[in-house]
């Protein structure tokens, strides 16, 4: 019996290094592929919201008098205030004299990698080793969010907004109110989705009966709302659906929210099914998470609020709106919470190893599936942009913004357009 036990231990010690090297190699490969795709398919040409968010900010700002133009940094793009996008764009032009889409794309993607580092920090703090962490990293490196990966303004807006939101929750449960509120402000002025932190912050302090922190948070949020809405002149975009109409069908909103949370499944039915399974599992674990791992619990609360908010504000555009590529980043975070919950609640080392191994295989499957689907879509867009095709609902408007940028000399497209653009320097 002793010999048999020693033999089993020797076998396990032989297997563990093999698993570790598999985890390391595939994690590194997934990361390198992700980086290569960004480098290979990033175009020095604007795409859709880039025209409004970048050119419609830089042109009037650079045309006017500096002190008077400072409020333009808080310009509204659709329903969002994208201060970070504007600050990066202006800094780039001020330092170099030109706007560079490649740089903007890479700066935006830094936000996603910072989030991966934060998840590793949580994992390491809670004794999740790299082998167990590898499924999270591989899924984060999949190409499901291909729409963001090579879109300049959207990469900065979405990746950094989500990073700031998660970082705010991190500091919230760590008892560091000042940092939690600071990153809430950063989030809401990076993208409007930061508003989803409000109920999370207030409910957290309310549940903890931390009345002073609650009062401070209410005052801070109130000041931010006064600045964000009346002082800066918020307006409802005319193309957005009526929120009150969306509230008339609660079942529809719930279905939309499930599809949003399970969007990693890609197809309509699988996304809803995945969202239901993930949500039901986490609800069954709410007490365990709230007591033992409050970061996961309140991060889950943030995602649920985000899903319902998106359903209310976007649901009128159709239920498949929630299956957009850019929204899969929330589904990936949901995967992180579910996986960590499975792993940390495992009743034995053997069960925990089983969960890690099965999740590792699943993560490879997710990466492989999205590599084919995502690479095709990102390549199609790249080829169109490199051919000089204007990707915007109103080509005439896009051409006029490009002319304005060329006249000021901070951007001139390297592609041949139709109609051709002439700057003042060429006349």
């Amino acid at each position: 019996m002793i010999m048999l036990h020693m033999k089993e231990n020797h076998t396990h010690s032989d297997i563990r290094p093999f698993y570790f090297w598999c985890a390391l190699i595939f994690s590194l490969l997934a990361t390198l592929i992700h980086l290569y795709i960004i480098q290979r398919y990033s175009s020095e040409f604007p795409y859709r919201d880039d025209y409004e968010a970048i050119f419609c900010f830089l042109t009037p700002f650079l045309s006017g008098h500096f002190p008077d133009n400072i409020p333009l940094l808080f310009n509204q793009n659709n329903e969002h205030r994208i201060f970070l996008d504007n600050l990066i764009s202006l800094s780039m032009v001020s330092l170099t004299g030109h706007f560079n889409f490649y740089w903007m794309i890479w700066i935006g993607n830094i936000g996603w990698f910072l989030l991966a580092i934060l998840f590793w920090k949580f994992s390491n703090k809670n004794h999740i080793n790299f082998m167990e962490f590898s499924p999270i990293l591989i899924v984060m490196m999949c190409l499901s969010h291909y729409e963001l990966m090579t879109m300049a303004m959207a990469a900065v807006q979405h990746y950094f907004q989500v990073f700031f939101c998660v970082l705010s929750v991190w500091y919230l449960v760590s008892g560091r109110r000042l940092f939690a509120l600071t990153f809430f402000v950063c989030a809401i002025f990076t993208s409007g989705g930061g508003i989803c932190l409000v109920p999370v912050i207030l409910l957290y302090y309310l549940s903890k009966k931390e009345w002073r922190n609650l009062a401070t948070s209410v005052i801070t949020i109130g000041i931010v709302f006064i600045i964000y809405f009346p002082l800066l002149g918020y307006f409802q975009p005319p193309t957005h659906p009526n929120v009150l109409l969306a509230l008339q069908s609660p079942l529809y909103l719930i279905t939309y929210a499930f599809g949003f949370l399970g969007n990693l499944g890609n197809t309509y039915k699988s996304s809803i099914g995945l969202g239901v399974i993930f949500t039901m599992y986490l609800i069954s674990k709410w007490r365990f998470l709230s007591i033992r791992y409050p970061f996961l619990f309140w991060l889950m609360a943030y995602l649920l609020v985000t899903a319902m908010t998106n359903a209310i504000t976007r649901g009128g555009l159709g239920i498949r709106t929630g299956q957009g590529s850019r929204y899969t980043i929330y589904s990936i975070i949901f995967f992180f919470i579910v996986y960590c919950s499975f792993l940390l609640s495992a009743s034995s080392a053997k069960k925990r190893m089983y969960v890690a191994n099965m999740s590792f295989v699943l993560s490879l499957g997710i990466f492989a599936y999205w590599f084919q689907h995502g690479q095709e879509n990102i390549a199609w867009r790249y080829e169109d942009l490199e051919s000089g095709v204007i990707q915007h609902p109103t080509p005439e408007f896009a051409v006029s913004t490009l002319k304005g940028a060329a006249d000021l000399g901070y951007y001139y497209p390297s592609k041949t357009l139709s109609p051709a653009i002439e700057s003042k320097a060429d006349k």
Side-chain angles (χ1 to χ4, degrees):
M1 290 294 292
I2 294 175
M3 292 293 291
L4 180 60
H5 182 66
M6 290 177 62
K7 187 175 181 179
E8 288 178 353
N9 285 342
H10 180 69
T11 302
H12 289 158
S13 65
D14 288 341
I15 292 176
R16 284 183 180 276
F18 172 76
Y19 284 156
F20 171 79
W21 282 108
C22 283
L24 180 62
I25 291 170
F26 280 104
S27 296
L28 183 60
L29 184 62
T31 303
L32 290 175
I33 290 173
H34 188 95
L35 292 171
Y36 171 75
I37 292 295
I38 297 172
Q39 187 277 329
R40 172 66 178 81
Y41 294 111
S42 291
S43 175
E44 181 54 33
F45 197 69
Y47 175 73
R48 298 186 69 86
D49 287 354
D50 286 338
Y51 290 94
E52 288 88 352
I54 295 171
F55 297 131
C56 289
F57 160 69
L58 284 175
T59 297
F61 193 100
L62 297 173
S63 301
H65 189 245
F66 174 70
D68 298 332
N69 286 340
I70 291 177
L72 293 177
L73 285 165
F74 299 91
N75 265 0
Q76 187 178 332
N77 179 253
N78 288 322
E79 74 273 37
H80 308 284
R81 299 202 184 280
I82 53 172
F83 176 81
L84 186 59
D85 270 283
N86 294 338
L87 184 62
I88 293 172
S89 300
L90 182 61
S91 299
M92 190 184 301
V93 174
S94 299
L95 292 172
T96 68
H98 301 280
F99 181 84
N100 189 298
F101 279 94
Y102 289 123
W103 293 1
M104 190 76 164
I105 288 168
W106 278 108
I107 291 170
N109 277 274
I110 289 173
W112 189 242
F113 283 89
L114 288 174
L115 183 62
I117 293 171
L118 182 61
F119 284 165
W120 167 244
K121 184 176 181 179
F122 167 82
S123 301
N124 193 42
K125 182 180 178 181
N126 290 279
H127 310 292
I128 295 175
N129 59 44
F130 181 79
M131 187 174 67
E132 295 170 330
F133 178 75
S134 61
I136 299 168
L137 182 58
I138 291 170
V139 171
M140 290 189 75
M141 292 300 108
C142 80
L143 306 186
S144 66
H145 42 108
Y146 58 84
E147 184 182 9
L148 298 178
M149 290 170 60
T150 58
M151 184 176 175
M153 69 79 52
V156 172
Q157 177 193 6
H158 286 272
Y159 287 142
F160 272 98
Q161 176 229 293
V162 168
F163 172 65
F164 290 147
C165 285
V166 176
L167 198 56
S168 179
V169 174
W170 173 271
Y171 284 118
L172 181 71
V173 301
S174 300
R176 305 178 74 175
R177 182 194 64 204
L178 177 61
F179 285 103
L181 292 176
T182 297
F183 285 109
F184 154 69
V185 175
C186 290
I188 199 170
F189 281 101
T190 298
S191 182
I195 202 171
C196 298
L197 281 172
V198 172
V200 177
I201 293 172
L202 298 183
L203 284 173
Y204 177 81
Y205 288 131
L206 189 63
S207 67
K208 297 293 181 181
K209 298 182 180 179
E210 297 180 10
W211 309 120
R212 180 177 295 181
N213 288 337
L214 178 63
T216 303
S217 299
V218 169
I219 293 171
T220 303
I221 291 168
I223 293 172
V224 169
F225 275 23
I226 290 171
I227 295 172
Y228 195 95
F229 292 102
L231 290 184
L232 290 175
Y234 180 85
F235 62 90
Q236 176 69 27
T239 56
H240 284 209
N242 191 321
V243 171
L244 296 178
L245 293 176
L247 292 172
Q248 294 177 1
S249 179
L251 181 60
Y252 172 82
L253 293 180
I254 293 172
T255 304
Y256 184 104
F258 281 139
F260 179 90
L261 292 169
N263 194 16
L264 197 58
N266 190 27
T267 62
Y268 169 66
K269 292 182 179 179
S270 62
S271 294
I272 293 174
L274 196 61
V276 170
I277 293 170
F278 279 2
T279 305
M280 292 302 103
Y281 172 75
L282 290 178
I283 289 176
S284 71
K285 291 287 184 180
W286 76 269
R287 186 177 296 275
F288 167 77
L289 294 176
S290 63
I291 296 173
R292 299 281 300 277
Y293 303 99
F295 173 65
L296 296 179
F297 177 81
W298 291 101
L299 187 57
M300 174 185 69
Y302 158 69
L303 289 182
L304 293 176
V305 172
T306 301
M308 285 306 300
T309 302
N310 197 276
I312 292 169
T313 57
R314 302 279 181 161
L317 298 174
I319 199 165
R320 293 185 183 274
T321 307
Q323 269 79 58
S325 165
R326 65 183 64 191
Y327 296 137
T328 61
I329 58 177
Y330 297 99
S331 190
I332 289 173
I333 298 173
F334 214 42
F335 171 86
F336 163 75
I337 300 171
V338 172
Y339 172 65
C340 287
S341 301
F342 265 114
L343 200 67
L344 295 170
S345 63
S347 57
S348 65
K350 184 177 180 180
K351 185 176 180 181
R352 180 164 169 151
M353 178 63 76
Y354 177 79
V355 170
N357 290 342
M358 291 299 99
S359 299
F360 178 72
V361 174
L362 177 62
S363 69
L364 292 178
I366 292 172
F367 186 90
Y369 170 80
W370 277 107
F371 177 78
Q372 179 181 7
H373 185 70
Q375 194 267 346
E376 287 178 354
N377 281 276
I378 208 169
W380 289 337
R381 186 173 77 190
Y382 173 78
E383 289 169 3
D384 277 351
L385 294 178
E386 289 298 290
S387 300
V389 176
I390 294 178
Q391 294 277 5
H392 192 275
T394 312
E396 296 80 8
F397 165 80
V399 169
S400 69
T401 60
L402 289 173
K403 286 182 178 179
D407 287 342
L408 289 175
Y410 70 86
Y411 176 80
Y412 193 81
S414 58
K415 313 304 171 191
T416 302
L417 304 179
S418 179
I421 297 176
E422 294 182 358
S423 67
K424 289 181 179 179
D426 297 328
K427 294 179 181 179

